[in-house]
Protein backbone atom coordinates (compact mmCIF):
# COMPACT_ATOMS: atom_id res chain seq x y z
CA UNK A 1 0.00 0.00 0.00
CA UNK A 2 1.07 3.64 -0.35
CA UNK A 3 1.10 5.47 3.00
CA UNK A 4 0.34 9.16 2.94
CA UNK A 5 -1.15 9.36 -0.56
CA UNK A 6 -4.91 9.08 -1.12
CA UNK A 7 -5.72 7.70 -4.59
CA UNK A 8 -9.40 7.35 -3.73
CA UNK A 9 -9.06 3.55 -3.67
CA UNK A 10 -6.61 0.93 -2.31
CA UNK A 11 -3.47 0.87 -4.47
CA UNK A 12 -0.57 -1.59 -4.77
CA UNK A 13 2.89 -0.23 -5.63
CA UNK A 14 5.11 -2.37 -7.89
CA UNK A 15 8.81 -1.58 -8.36
CA UNK A 16 11.10 -2.95 -11.10
CA UNK A 17 14.66 -1.78 -11.82
CA UNK A 18 14.09 1.55 -10.12
CA UNK A 19 10.73 2.11 -11.85
CA UNK A 20 7.43 2.30 -9.98
CA UNK A 21 3.96 1.28 -11.13
CA UNK A 22 0.73 1.62 -9.17
CA UNK A 23 -2.11 -0.87 -9.56
CA UNK A 24 -5.52 -0.59 -7.92
CA UNK A 25 -6.22 -3.39 -5.46
CA UNK A 26 -9.54 -4.27 -7.12
CA UNK A 27 -7.87 -4.29 -10.55
CA UNK A 28 -5.19 -6.67 -9.23
CA UNK A 29 -7.81 -9.01 -7.74
CA UNK A 30 -9.92 -8.94 -10.94
CA UNK A 31 -6.80 -9.62 -13.03
CA UNK A 32 -5.90 -12.60 -10.82
CA UNK A 33 -9.43 -14.03 -11.10
CA UNK A 34 -9.44 -13.60 -14.89
CA UNK A 35 -6.02 -15.27 -15.11
CA UNK A 36 -7.21 -18.24 -13.03
CA UNK A 37 -10.29 -18.54 -15.30
CA UNK A 38 -8.05 -18.43 -18.38
CA UNK A 39 -5.82 -21.17 -16.94
CA UNK A 40 -8.90 -23.30 -16.13
CA UNK A 41 -10.10 -22.99 -19.74
CA UNK A 42 -6.57 -23.82 -20.88
CA UNK A 43 -6.61 -27.08 -18.87
CA UNK A 44 -9.99 -27.99 -20.41
CA UNK A 45 -8.64 -27.20 -23.89
CA UNK A 46 -5.59 -29.38 -23.27
CA UNK A 47 -7.83 -32.29 -22.27
CA UNK A 48 -10.40 -32.17 -25.08
CA UNK A 49 -9.99 -33.55 -28.57
CA UNK A 50 -9.90 -36.85 -30.41
CA UNK A 51 -7.97 -38.26 -27.43
CA UNK A 52 -9.81 -36.88 -24.35
CA UNK A 53 -7.79 -36.53 -21.15
CA UNK A 54 -9.22 -35.78 -17.71
CA UNK A 55 -8.04 -32.52 -16.04
CA UNK A 56 -6.07 -34.38 -13.33
CA UNK A 57 -4.21 -36.34 -16.03
CA UNK A 58 -3.54 -33.08 -17.90
CA UNK A 59 -1.89 -31.62 -14.79
CA UNK A 60 0.10 -34.83 -14.25
CA UNK A 61 1.26 -34.75 -17.87
CA UNK A 62 2.39 -31.14 -17.45
CA UNK A 63 4.12 -31.37 -14.08
CA UNK A 64 4.93 -35.07 -13.53
CA UNK A 65 5.12 -36.62 -16.98
CA UNK A 66 4.81 -40.25 -15.84
CA UNK A 67 2.36 -41.15 -18.65
CA UNK A 68 4.34 -40.88 -21.87
CA UNK A 69 1.43 -40.78 -24.32
CA UNK A 70 -0.51 -38.24 -22.23
CA UNK A 71 2.62 -36.08 -22.08
CA UNK A 72 3.13 -36.42 -25.84
CA UNK A 73 -0.47 -35.34 -26.57
CA UNK A 74 -0.59 -32.56 -23.97
CA UNK A 75 2.94 -31.18 -24.09
CA UNK A 76 3.91 -31.61 -27.73
CA UNK A 77 0.60 -31.45 -29.62
CA UNK A 78 -1.73 -29.16 -27.66
CA UNK A 79 0.31 -27.07 -25.23
CA UNK A 80 2.02 -24.75 -27.79
CA UNK A 81 -1.38 -23.69 -29.14
CA UNK A 82 -2.75 -22.96 -25.66
CA UNK A 83 0.40 -21.05 -24.61
CA UNK A 84 0.17 -18.88 -27.73
CA UNK A 85 -3.57 -18.29 -27.18
CA UNK A 86 -2.86 -17.01 -23.66
CA UNK A 87 0.18 -14.91 -24.63
CA UNK A 88 -1.23 -13.41 -27.84
CA UNK A 89 -4.59 -12.72 -26.17
CA UNK A 90 -2.82 -10.81 -23.40
CA UNK A 91 -0.78 -8.89 -26.00
CA UNK A 92 -3.91 -7.91 -27.95
CA UNK A 93 -5.70 -6.87 -24.76
CA UNK A 94 -2.79 -4.67 -23.65
CA UNK A 95 -2.43 -3.23 -27.16
CA UNK A 96 -6.10 -2.26 -27.27
CA UNK A 97 -5.92 -0.75 -23.76
CA UNK A 98 -3.00 1.48 -24.76
CA UNK A 99 -4.63 2.75 -27.95
CA UNK A 100 -8.04 3.29 -26.37
CA UNK A 101 -6.40 5.26 -23.59
CA UNK A 102 -4.28 7.36 -26.00
CA UNK A 103 -7.26 8.15 -28.25
CA UNK A 104 -9.65 8.37 -25.26
CA UNK A 105 -12.19 6.44 -27.24
CA UNK A 106 -13.45 2.85 -26.79
CA UNK A 107 -13.41 2.43 -30.59
CA UNK A 108 -9.68 3.18 -30.69
CA UNK A 109 -8.68 -0.45 -31.16
CA UNK A 110 -5.77 -1.59 -33.40
CA UNK A 111 -8.10 -3.68 -35.58
CA UNK A 112 -10.58 -0.78 -36.01
CA UNK A 113 -7.90 1.88 -36.62
CA UNK A 114 -6.11 -0.31 -39.17
CA UNK A 115 -2.87 -1.40 -37.51
CA UNK A 116 -3.94 -5.04 -37.84
CA UNK A 117 -4.62 -4.57 -41.55
CA UNK A 118 -1.24 -2.87 -42.05
CA UNK A 119 0.55 -5.70 -40.28
CA UNK A 120 -1.35 -8.16 -42.49
CA UNK A 121 -0.27 -6.21 -45.59
CA UNK A 122 3.38 -6.40 -44.52
CA UNK A 123 3.10 -10.12 -43.87
CA UNK A 124 1.35 -10.73 -47.22
CA UNK A 125 4.11 -8.90 -49.12
CA UNK A 126 6.71 -11.13 -47.46
CA UNK A 127 4.74 -14.35 -48.03
CA UNK A 128 3.44 -13.77 -51.56
CA UNK A 129 6.10 -11.56 -53.14
CA UNK A 130 9.35 -12.07 -51.24
CA UNK A 131 8.78 -15.71 -50.26
CA UNK A 132 10.06 -15.30 -46.71
CA UNK A 133 9.76 -17.68 -43.75
CA UNK A 134 8.37 -17.14 -40.25
CA UNK A 135 11.06 -14.70 -39.11
CA UNK A 136 10.78 -12.59 -42.27
CA UNK A 137 6.97 -12.70 -42.00
CA UNK A 138 7.14 -11.46 -38.42
CA UNK A 139 9.47 -8.65 -39.49
CA UNK A 140 7.15 -7.79 -42.40
CA UNK A 141 4.13 -7.65 -40.08
CA UNK A 142 6.00 -5.39 -37.66
CA UNK A 143 7.15 -3.04 -40.43
CA UNK A 144 3.67 -3.03 -42.00
CA UNK A 145 2.02 -2.21 -38.68
CA UNK A 146 4.50 0.53 -37.79
CA UNK A 147 4.35 2.00 -41.30
CA UNK A 148 0.55 2.11 -41.15
CA UNK A 149 0.68 3.75 -37.72
CA UNK A 150 3.12 6.37 -39.04
CA UNK A 151 0.90 7.20 -42.05
CA UNK A 152 -2.20 7.44 -39.85
CA UNK A 153 -0.39 9.65 -37.34
CA UNK A 154 0.82 12.00 -40.09
CA UNK A 155 -2.62 12.24 -41.71
CA UNK A 156 -4.44 12.65 -38.38
CA UNK A 157 -1.97 15.19 -36.97
CA UNK A 158 -3.33 18.68 -36.53
CA UNK A 159 -1.55 20.52 -33.72
CA UNK A 160 -2.06 17.34 -31.74
CA UNK A 161 -3.52 13.90 -32.32
CA UNK A 162 -7.19 13.73 -31.42
CA UNK A 163 -9.12 10.55 -30.82
CA UNK A 164 -11.94 10.75 -33.34
CA UNK A 165 -9.71 12.18 -36.09
CA UNK A 166 -7.20 9.34 -35.68
CA UNK A 167 -9.99 6.74 -35.69
CA UNK A 168 -11.67 8.13 -38.81
CA UNK A 169 -8.35 8.38 -40.67
CA UNK A 170 -7.48 4.84 -39.47
CA UNK A 171 -10.76 3.41 -40.76
CA UNK A 172 -10.10 4.96 -44.18
CA UNK A 173 -6.51 3.67 -44.34
CA UNK A 174 -7.70 0.25 -43.17
CA UNK A 175 -10.26 0.09 -46.01
CA UNK A 176 -7.58 1.02 -48.55
CA UNK A 177 -5.16 -1.58 -47.21
CA UNK A 178 -7.90 -4.23 -47.18
CA UNK A 179 -8.36 -3.70 -50.91
CA UNK A 180 -4.57 -3.97 -51.40
CA UNK A 181 -4.58 -7.22 -49.41
CA UNK A 182 -7.36 -8.63 -51.59
CA UNK A 183 -5.45 -7.67 -54.74
CA UNK A 184 -2.26 -9.32 -53.43
CA UNK A 185 -4.13 -12.56 -52.72
CA UNK A 186 -5.94 -12.53 -56.09
CA UNK A 187 -2.72 -12.08 -58.11
CA UNK A 188 -0.87 -14.89 -56.31
CA UNK A 189 -0.81 -18.51 -57.51
CA UNK A 190 -3.54 -20.78 -56.16
CA UNK A 191 -1.56 -22.58 -53.43
CA UNK A 192 0.02 -19.39 -52.08
CA UNK A 193 -3.34 -17.57 -52.24
CA UNK A 194 -5.12 -20.35 -50.32
CA UNK A 195 -2.34 -20.39 -47.72
CA UNK A 196 -2.41 -16.60 -47.33
CA UNK A 197 -6.22 -16.50 -47.17
CA UNK A 198 -6.28 -19.22 -44.50
CA UNK A 199 -3.62 -17.37 -42.51
CA UNK A 200 -5.53 -14.11 -42.96
CA UNK A 201 -8.57 -15.57 -41.20
CA UNK A 202 -6.53 -15.66 -38.00
CA UNK A 203 -5.74 -19.18 -36.79
CA UNK A 204 -3.65 -20.89 -34.11
CA UNK A 205 -3.93 -24.25 -35.88
CA UNK A 206 -0.65 -26.04 -36.62
CA UNK A 207 1.54 -23.81 -34.42
CA UNK A 208 4.35 -25.57 -32.58
CA UNK A 209 7.12 -24.84 -30.08
CA UNK A 210 9.23 -23.35 -32.90
CA UNK A 211 6.79 -20.41 -33.03
CA UNK A 212 6.27 -20.20 -29.27
CA UNK A 213 9.81 -19.26 -28.20
CA UNK A 214 10.35 -16.27 -30.57
CA UNK A 215 6.87 -14.91 -29.82
CA UNK A 216 7.35 -15.15 -26.05
CA UNK A 217 10.78 -13.50 -26.24
CA UNK A 218 9.43 -10.57 -28.28
CA UNK A 219 6.41 -10.16 -25.99
CA UNK A 220 8.65 -10.28 -22.90
CA UNK A 221 10.84 -7.49 -24.33
CA UNK A 222 7.74 -5.40 -25.09
CA UNK A 223 6.34 -6.06 -21.60
CA UNK A 224 9.59 -4.80 -20.05
CA UNK A 225 9.40 -1.66 -22.20
CA UNK A 226 5.73 -1.22 -21.31
CA UNK A 227 6.33 -1.30 -17.56
CA UNK A 228 7.83 2.24 -17.28
CA UNK A 229 5.59 3.56 -20.08
CA UNK A 230 2.44 2.65 -18.14
CA UNK A 231 3.04 5.56 -15.74
CA UNK A 232 2.94 7.97 -18.72
CA UNK A 233 -0.38 6.44 -19.73
CA UNK A 234 -1.92 7.41 -16.40
CA UNK A 235 -0.52 10.94 -16.64
CA UNK A 236 -1.98 11.32 -20.16
CA UNK A 237 -5.36 10.32 -18.75
CA UNK A 238 -5.30 13.60 -16.79
CA UNK A 239 -5.39 15.60 -20.03
CA UNK A 240 -2.71 17.14 -22.21
CA UNK A 241 -2.51 20.45 -20.34
CA UNK A 242 -2.16 18.78 -16.95
CA UNK A 243 0.34 16.24 -18.32
CA UNK A 244 2.44 19.07 -19.79
CA UNK A 245 2.26 20.94 -16.50
CA UNK A 246 3.60 17.84 -14.75
CA UNK A 247 6.62 17.86 -17.06
CA UNK A 248 5.57 15.13 -19.51
CA UNK A 249 6.39 15.58 -23.19
CA UNK A 250 2.92 14.70 -24.44
CA UNK A 251 3.71 14.16 -28.11
CA UNK A 252 6.75 11.96 -27.44
CA UNK A 253 4.93 9.92 -24.76
CA UNK A 254 1.92 9.37 -27.01
CA UNK A 255 4.13 8.31 -29.93
CA UNK A 256 6.03 5.82 -27.72
CA UNK A 257 2.77 4.29 -26.48
CA UNK A 258 1.36 4.00 -30.01
CA UNK A 259 4.57 2.26 -31.16
CA UNK A 260 4.29 -0.23 -28.28
CA UNK A 261 0.62 -0.84 -29.13
CA UNK A 262 1.48 -1.47 -32.78
CA UNK A 263 4.38 -3.76 -31.89
CA UNK A 264 2.18 -5.91 -29.61
CA UNK A 265 -0.44 -6.21 -32.36
CA UNK A 266 2.18 -6.92 -35.02
CA UNK A 267 3.69 -9.81 -33.02
CA UNK A 268 0.25 -11.39 -32.63
CA UNK A 269 -0.53 -10.86 -36.32
CA UNK A 270 2.82 -12.28 -37.42
CA UNK A 271 2.25 -15.48 -35.44
CA UNK A 272 -1.45 -16.17 -35.93
CA UNK A 273 -2.70 -13.74 -38.56
CA UNK A 274 -5.09 -10.85 -37.89
CA UNK A 275 -7.41 -11.69 -34.98
CA UNK A 276 -10.14 -9.10 -34.67
CA UNK A 277 -12.13 -7.69 -31.75
CA UNK A 278 -10.04 -9.08 -28.85
CA UNK A 279 -8.14 -5.77 -28.65
CA UNK A 280 -11.46 -3.92 -28.89
CA UNK A 281 -13.47 -5.82 -26.29
CA UNK A 282 -10.90 -6.91 -23.68
CA UNK A 283 -9.97 -3.41 -22.36
CA UNK A 284 -13.59 -2.34 -21.94
CA UNK A 285 -14.69 -5.60 -20.31
CA UNK A 286 -11.66 -5.52 -17.98
CA UNK A 287 -12.33 -1.90 -17.07
CA UNK A 288 -15.97 -2.59 -16.24
CA UNK A 289 -15.03 -5.51 -13.98
CA UNK A 290 -12.18 -3.63 -12.28
CA UNK A 291 -14.22 -0.37 -12.08
CA UNK A 292 -11.15 1.69 -12.89
CA UNK A 293 -11.55 5.39 -13.84
CA UNK A 294 -9.59 4.78 -17.06
CA UNK A 295 -8.48 1.84 -19.19
CA UNK A 296 -6.12 -0.38 -17.16
CA UNK A 297 -3.45 -2.60 -18.66
CA UNK A 298 -3.48 -5.60 -16.30
CA UNK A 299 -7.25 -6.34 -16.43
CA UNK A 300 -7.20 -5.79 -20.20
CA UNK A 301 -4.33 -8.25 -20.70
CA UNK A 302 -5.92 -10.87 -18.43
CA UNK A 303 -9.29 -10.48 -20.16
CA UNK A 304 -7.59 -10.75 -23.57
CA UNK A 305 -5.95 -14.03 -22.54
CA UNK A 306 -9.29 -15.39 -21.29
CA UNK A 307 -11.16 -14.30 -24.44
CA UNK A 308 -8.68 -15.74 -26.92
CA UNK A 309 -8.13 -19.09 -25.19
CA UNK A 310 -11.93 -19.50 -24.81
CA UNK A 311 -12.63 -18.52 -28.44
CA UNK A 312 -9.92 -20.91 -29.64
CA UNK A 313 -11.44 -23.73 -27.61
CA UNK A 314 -14.85 -22.97 -29.17
CA UNK A 315 -13.23 -22.86 -32.62
CA UNK A 316 -11.81 -26.35 -32.09
CA UNK A 317 -14.89 -27.99 -30.58
CA UNK A 318 -18.02 -26.20 -31.92
CA UNK A 319 -18.03 -28.08 -35.25
CA UNK A 320 -15.64 -30.92 -34.44
CA UNK A 321 -13.94 -32.62 -36.23
CA UNK A 322 -13.87 -29.46 -38.42
CA UNK A 323 -11.65 -26.82 -36.80
CA UNK A 324 -12.54 -23.18 -37.45
CA UNK A 325 -10.00 -20.34 -37.51
CA UNK A 326 -10.19 -18.59 -34.16
CA UNK A 327 -10.52 -15.27 -36.01
CA UNK A 328 -13.96 -16.32 -37.26
CA UNK A 329 -15.14 -16.95 -33.69
CA UNK A 330 -13.75 -13.65 -32.38
CA UNK A 331 -15.40 -11.78 -35.28
CA UNK A 332 -18.75 -13.48 -34.62
CA UNK A 333 -18.70 -12.63 -30.92
CA UNK A 334 -16.97 -9.28 -31.31
CA UNK A 335 -19.42 -8.09 -33.96
CA UNK A 336 -22.22 -8.23 -31.40
CA UNK A 337 -20.07 -6.34 -28.91
CA UNK A 338 -19.19 -3.68 -31.52
CA UNK A 339 -22.88 -3.16 -32.30
CA UNK A 340 -23.59 -2.68 -28.59
CA UNK A 341 -20.65 -0.28 -28.29
CA UNK A 342 -21.79 1.84 -31.25
CA UNK A 343 -25.33 2.08 -29.87
CA UNK A 344 -24.01 3.02 -26.40
CA UNK A 345 -21.70 5.69 -27.87
CA UNK A 346 -24.54 7.12 -30.02
CA UNK A 347 -26.81 7.41 -26.98
CA UNK A 348 -24.04 9.02 -24.94
CA UNK A 349 -23.29 11.64 -27.63
Amino acid sequence: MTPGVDFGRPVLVLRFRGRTARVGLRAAVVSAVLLVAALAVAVLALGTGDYPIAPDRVLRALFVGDQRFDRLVVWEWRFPRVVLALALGAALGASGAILQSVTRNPLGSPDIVGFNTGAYTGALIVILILGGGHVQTAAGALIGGLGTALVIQLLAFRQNVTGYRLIIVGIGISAMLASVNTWLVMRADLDAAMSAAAWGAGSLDGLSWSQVAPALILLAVLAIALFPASSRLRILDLGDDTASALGLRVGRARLLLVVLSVALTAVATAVAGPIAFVALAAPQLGRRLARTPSTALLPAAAMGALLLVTCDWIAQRAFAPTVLPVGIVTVSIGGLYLAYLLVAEARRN
Side-chain angles (χ1 to χ4, degrees):
M1 302 290 181
T2 54
V5 180
D6 184 9
F7 290 93
R9 63 187 190 282
V11 173
L12 296 175
V13 180
L14 306 176
R15 292 184 173 86
F16 178 75
R17 298 174 66 90
R19 299 283 185 174
T20 301
R22 292 178 175 82
V23 182
L25 183 59
R26 182 183 174 90
V29 172
V30 167
S31 302
V33 171
L34 291 173
L35 186 59
V36 169
L39 293 176
V41 175
V43 171
L44 291 177
L46 289 171
T48 54
D50 294 337
Y51 179 73
I53 305 174
D56 60 323
R57 287 170 54 196
V58 170
L59 295 177
R60 288 184 64 84
L62 287 176
F63 299 109
V64 181
D66 53 350
Q67 296 292 330
R68 290 187 176 181
F69 191 69
D70 283 359
R71 186 170 177 80
L72 174 68
V73 172
V74 171
W75 187 264
E76 296 294 336
W77 295 354
R78 296 175 182 170
F79 200 40
R81 179 174 187 146
V82 169
V83 169
L84 283 174
L86 293 170
L88 300 184
L92 290 172
S95 174
I98 294 171
L99 203 58
Q100 289 180 14
S101 184
V102 168
T103 60
R104 297 172 191 154
N105 192 304
L107 294 176
S109 169
D111 42 341
I112 299 294
V113 173
F115 298 164
N116 258 4
T117 313
Y120 184 35
T121 303
L124 278 182
I125 291 174
V126 172
I127 294 173
L128 299 179
I129 298 178
L130 303 179
H134 287 294
V135 176
Q136 293 84 356
T137 302
L142 183 60
I143 294 172
L146 289 174
T148 304
L150 177 63
V151 171
I152 292 173
Q153 288 268 22
L154 291 175
L155 293 177
F157 189 84
R158 179 182 288 176
Q159 295 179 341
N160 209 336
V161 177
T162 60
Y164 268 113
R165 184 177 173 84
L166 187 141
I167 292 170
I168 295 300
V169 172
I171 290 174
I173 296 295
S174 178
M176 293 174 60
L177 289 176
S179 63
V180 171
N181 294 344
T182 303
W183 176 75
L184 286 172
V185 172
M186 289 182 65
R187 68 180 296 275
D189 62 73
L190 183 59
D191 291 338
M194 290 179 63
S195 175
W199 184 81
S203 176
L204 297 169
D205 197 26
L207 297 177
S208 64
W209 285 112
S210 61
Q211 286 91 28
V212 172
L216 292 185
I217 291 172
L218 286 173
L219 293 178
V221 171
L222 292 173
I224 293 173
L226 189 58
F227 186 81
S230 61
S231 60
R232 302 175 188 179
L233 202 60
R234 284 192 303 276
I235 297 176
L236 285 175
D237 286 337
L238 301 174
D240 291 356
D241 294 338
T242 305
S244 298
L246 292 173
L248 182 69
R249 295 184 176 180
V250 174
R252 181 179 297 183
R254 185 169 282 133
L255 179 61
L256 171 65
L257 290 165
V258 169
V259 168
L260 288 174
S261 173
V262 173
L264 288 168
T265 299
V267 171
T269 304
V271 174
I275 298 175
F277 288 111
V278 175
L280 173 72
Q284 293 300 313
L285 295 175
R287 179 181 177 181
R288 281 174 168 77
L289 289 176
R291 297 179 185 172
T292 53
S294 59
T295 305
L297 290 179
L298 275 181
M303 179 59 78
L306 175 60
L307 285 178
L308 191 55
V309 76
T310 303
C311 287
D312 188 51
W313 185 34
I314 294 172
Q316 293 181 71
R317 307 311 311 164
F319 299 98
T322 301
V323 178
L324 299 175
V326 67
I328 293 178
V329 178
T330 60
V331 166
S332 302
I333 297 175
L336 297 174
Y337 179 76
L338 179 61
Y340 157 77
L341 203 60
L342 290 172
V343 171
E345 279 294 300
R347 288 178 176 174
R348 187 178 306 165
N349 294 326

